[in-house]
Amino acid sequence: MTAKTDYTPVKVHLKTKITIGEESDSFELVSFGRYYEKGDAVFLKYDEVQEEGTTHTIVKVSDQQALILRSGAVKMRMAFNEREEQNGSYESQMGTLLLTTKTKKLSHTQSDSILEGDFNLSYELKMQDSPVGDYVMSIHYKEEA
């Protein structure tokens, strides 16, 4: 019996809007990554290349919850669940910091005909119990022909 780790190349379009008080900032990233399914979860793997270096990102979405893992230039673990606050971590030069996410909205829709979908997430982020901001994140992915 072989483990099924078939993945499909996808184009990933990530948009993030961060609101802190009255100030808002938006970021966009287009990357090429891989999509695969394991158990009842959907996975997206892609790299974010920035001045500090490359960050490898894995997004795992299953029923009512999600997990974002980052490694490389940035090391971070964030969990999302609409029912309750989730703890995560961010590794920095000062050590590991506690992250808390309060998920306001979490949705994942996928096309039946072709491999294409949207993952939308809205959450409040706290670091060491101090509010950092409100985040709205959307990831659109589509199979690369």
Side-chain angles (χ1 to χ4, degrees):
M1 206 158 106
T2 56
K4 191 172 182 240
T5 50
D6 292 338
Y7 62 83
T8 306
V10 288
K11 185 174 186 179
V12 176
H13 190 168
L14 168 73
K15 289 183 191 168
T16 307
K17 183 180 177 192
I18 304 163
T19 305
I20 302 162
E22 302 292 306
E23 299 285 305
S24 272
D25 218 341
S26 292
F27 301 96
E28 276 196 55
L29 168 90
V30 175
S31 183
F32 292 93
R34 300 187 300 209
Y35 167 98
Y36 61 97
E37 294 176 15
K38 197 170 160 188
D40 63 348
V42 163
F43 291 81
L44 280 177
K45 282 177 97 164
Y46 59 91
D47 289 345
E48 294 175 55
V49 181
Q50 288 146 336
E51 288 170 36
E52 311 88 70
T54 301
T55 301
H56 310 292
T57 303
I58 298 174
V59 179
K60 176 186 178 185
V61 185
S62 54
D63 186 45
Q64 303 293 308
Q65 51 191 8
L67 185 65
I68 296 176
L69 299 171
R70 290 191 163 116
S71 62
V74 174
K75 275 196 85 164
M76 199 159 135
R77 180 187 189 281
M78 290 196 303
F80 304 93
N81 184 321
E82 282 186 306
R83 291 186 290 272
E84 55 189 10
E85 286 192 3
Q86 298 286 300
N87 288 331
S89 60
Y90 173 75
E91 286 182 30
S92 69
Q93 286 85 2
M94 286 88 74
T96 302
L97 302 171
L98 172 71
L99 298 179
T100 310
T101 53
K102 183 178 180 183
T103 308
K104 294 190 260 184
K105 182 177 166 254
L106 172 67
S107 70
H108 177 240
T109 53
Q110 197 167 314
S111 166
D112 291 333
S113 51
I114 55 167
L115 179 57
E116 182 174 16
D118 289 287
F119 171 58
N120 293 294
L121 186 59
S122 168
Y123 61 96
E124 290 171 28
L125 181 65
K126 288 184 192 163
M127 194 178 280
Q128 303 288 105
D129 279 332
S130 299
V132 179
D134 291 311
Y135 286 67
V136 176
M137 185 177 171
S138 70
I139 298 175
H140 177 82
Y141 57 90
K142 185 175 182 178
E143 182 172 352
E144 271 299 288

